[in-house]
Amino acid sequence: FPSMKYFLFAVITILLGCENHTDFPEGGFPYPENIDKNDTNLYYYQIKNIEPARDAFHNSYAYLMYRPFNEANLSVKPQAKETFRFTYGGAFGDVIIITVTEDLISVKSGSPRILYNEDTSRLSVTENFHLRFLNKNFPVNANRRRSQKRNYLDSMTKLYPKLRDPAYYHYLYGRTINKTGEMFSYKISKQKITREQYISLRRTINSSGFWTLPPKIECDYPPTDGYGFVLEANTKTKYQVVQASACGDDTTAFTKACQRIVDFAKMDKEINLMWSGELETVEDQ
């Protein structure tokens, strides 16, 4: 019965296709149907209105990190292939981006911070004062301020009402971003993976709770070096992003899944997300 054989082959192919491309837990975000051209730089577009205003402000400048690496904005539309992107970076400007598709892992590394520096010379004395104020107090409307602090903020915004407007903060901050004229190039390496390896890695991510985690995970005691990481997923139907600080003694399923991406990419010597958070004391020496 050759027709039955081909029928069974077609069914198996369809089932494998479903497992490889649509087998994801609930959660994540649909892609925007329409997006303003001014929002194409928002690399985590779907969370811009649900994350804290301060996080949204800083994330709006993530394009300054991704574009020098020629990295696509995964949040606005499906890519040609399912894509998981792990980004690791810190206060000193070094960035490592690991991208995983069904047949390839690529690793990019470099320090795009050399492209920009902060130049406040284009701001007036008052604008510089406002920028320092907003850097410390944005968003000014945040609740749960101590009464003494609240009185100070209220008096400032009464004197300068535009301090309440996020657009004014963007205006000030944007004018301080100065291109240095330096040339930036990044290192890149690629390695093939089998379909079985990809499916195994994807299952690890799916079972880690990734799809229903909040946009940001904080440490109870953040490390002083400021290192953190981001995991994004771009599928045919939805997008997800989770940002996390690199915390000591973090053995959660999500962090383990991210470390497995690192291990697959053979970057475990450069990145260890599950380091000991113990502090050395005088008695220990």
Side-chain angles (χ1 to χ4, degrees):
F1 302 96
S3 60
M4 179 60 71
K5 180 178 71 174
Y6 293 133
F7 172 75
L8 291 174
F9 177 78
V11 170
I12 292 171
T13 301
I14 292 172
L15 290 175
L16 285 175
C18 289
E19 180 183 5
N20 288 340
H21 296 290
T22 61
D23 184 22
F24 291 98
E26 294 294 322
F29 304 91
Y31 298 102
E33 294 183 5
N34 299 294
I35 184 168
D36 188 278
K37 64 179 182 179
N38 294 324
D39 288 336
T40 56
N41 279 337
L42 297 178
Y43 268 59
Y44 314 135
Y45 177 84
Q46 284 84 341
I47 64 173
K48 65 186 178 73
N49 293 324
I50 63 174
E51 62 182 340
R54 192 174 187 85
D55 291 341
F57 179 87
H58 290 299
N59 282 338
S60 70
Y61 295 94
Y63 73 93
L64 296 175
M65 174 180 64
Y66 285 111
R67 283 198 167 179
F69 286 100
N70 298 310
E71 285 292 311
N73 184 346
L74 300 184
S75 69
V76 295
K77 64 180 180 180
Q79 300 297 293
K81 297 180 180 180
E82 281 178 7
T83 302
F84 292 96
R85 181 166 65 195
F86 172 84
T87 306
Y88 180 82
F92 300 106
D94 295 327
V95 177
I96 298 174
I97 300 176
I98 302 173
T99 303
V100 183
T101 63
E102 61 188 19
D103 56 0
L104 191 70
I105 295 181
S106 72
V107 180
K108 298 178 181 179
S109 60
S111 183
R113 176 169 290 188
I114 66 170
L115 293 171
Y116 309 96
N117 61 23
E118 182 181 354
D119 179 9
T120 61
S121 64
R122 288 179 290 183
L123 300 181
S124 68
V125 173
T126 300
E127 288 174 335
N128 266 293
F129 169 65
H130 287 172
L131 179 62
R132 292 193 299 272
F133 173 86
L134 290 168
N135 284 341
K136 185 176 182 180
N137 297 294
F138 182 84
V140 183
N141 298 329
N143 296 323
R144 296 190 296 275
R145 301 276 192 179
R146 289 181 288 109
S147 58
Q148 185 176 1
K149 181 76 169 182
R150 184 71 263 170
N151 291 337
Y152 167 67
L153 297 179
D154 288 343
S155 64
M156 283 293 297
T157 54
K158 185 176 181 179
L159 183 62
Y160 304 105
K162 55 188 175 182
L163 291 174
R164 294 183 179 273
D165 184 2
Y168 179 58
Y169 190 17
H170 279 290
Y171 164 77
L172 296 177
Y173 187 81
R175 292 187 68 198
T176 70
I177 299 174
N178 178 58
K179 293 183 178 181
T180 63
E182 295 283 343
M183 298 296 293
F184 171 73
S185 61
Y186 55 85
K187 296 179 181 178
I188 182 170
S189 63
K190 298 180 180 181
Q191 65 185 67
K192 291 186 177 297
I193 59 171
T194 65
R195 181 179 292 271
E196 290 74 18
Q197 287 175 318
Y198 173 73
I199 292 175
S200 174
L201 184 57
R202 193 186 66 172
R203 284 174 177 164
T204 299
I205 295 170
N206 286 349
S207 63
S208 72
F210 165 68
W211 288 97
T212 55
L213 287 173
K216 189 172 185 179
I217 301 173
E218 298 277 12
C219 297
D220 291 333
Y221 303 100
T224 56
D225 60 16
Y227 274 85
F229 57 96
V230 182
L231 180 61
E232 298 172 88
N234 177 293
T235 77
K236 296 296 182 183
T237 59
K238 61 183 180 178
Y239 168 81
Q240 172 68 331
V241 58
V242 175
Q243 305 165 86
S245 299
C247 308
D249 298 318
D250 182 357
T251 57
T252 60
F254 171 67
T255 299
K256 287 181 178 179
C258 291
Q259 185 63 48
R260 192 166 185 219
I261 295 173
V262 172
D263 295 344
F264 260 74
K266 300 177 181 178
M267 294 296 290
D268 50 298
K269 291 183 179 180
E270 289 78 7
I271 302 173
N272 179 13
L273 302 178
M274 293 180 289
W275 47 273
S276 171
E278 292 183 4
L279 297 177
E280 188 181 61
T281 63
V282 175
E283 289 78 7
D284 294 329
Q285 297 179 350

